[in-house]
Amino acid sequence: MTKEFYIDGIGNISVQGPVVTLSMTRVQQGSKVENDKEEEVLHLTMTGQNLLKITNILNNTIKRLAERSQSASKDTVENKANKDTVKNRDKDQTVN
């Protein structure tokens, strides 16, 4: 079974030749924790080429999420505009 890590950010990036290591961090939670205390939870090591592949995949994922968000907000705006049009049409009717 694959281990799951919750990550809040990248603490350090080190490059040694063709190998890149990213230190993934997690911010400690709770009332007794020092301010901005981060804990390294994972060191991810890969080649620079694989880092570029992962970066491209993540960028494409972000673009898709943004497109979905825009289309969802457009649908919401269009639905609201349609409801307002119906309300205004109903209000414009006059009784003689």
Side-chain angles (χ1 to χ4, degrees):
M1 187 168 145
T2 304
K3 274 189 165 183
E4 187 171 299
F5 296 94
Y6 290 93
I7 304 298
D8 292 319
I10 298 175
N12 191 21
I13 301 172
S14 69
V15 179
Q16 297 176 348
V19 178
V20 178
T21 301
L22 304 173
S23 298
M24 304 294 183
T25 60
R26 176 117 173 110
V27 176
Q28 294 179 358
Q29 309 266 328
S31 60
K32 295 182 180 180
V33 177
E34 297 174 21
N35 291 342
D36 297 328
K37 183 68 177 171
E38 292 184 350
E39 161 186 27
E40 288 186 356
V41 293
L42 177 69
H43 293 274
L44 184 61
T45 303
M46 67 193 88
T47 64
Q49 184 178 7
N50 287 338
L51 176 63
L52 290 174
K53 287 179 186 177
I54 289 173
T55 303
N56 287 334
I57 291 168
L58 292 174
N59 282 333
N60 288 335
T61 303
I62 290 169
K63 286 177 187 175
R64 288 184 191 146
L65 289 171
E67 289 169 0
R68 282 186 192 172
S69 176
Q70 287 177 348
S71 66
S73 65
K74 282 182 184 177
D75 290 343
T76 302
V77 169
E78 288 175 3
N79 287 340
K80 184 178 180 198
N82 289 339
K83 287 179 183 177
D84 289 344
T85 303
V86 169
K87 285 180 184 178
N88 289 337
R89 185 181 61 214
D90 291 344
K91 287 181 182 177
D92 290 342
Q93 295 176 353
T94 57
V95 177
N96 290 332

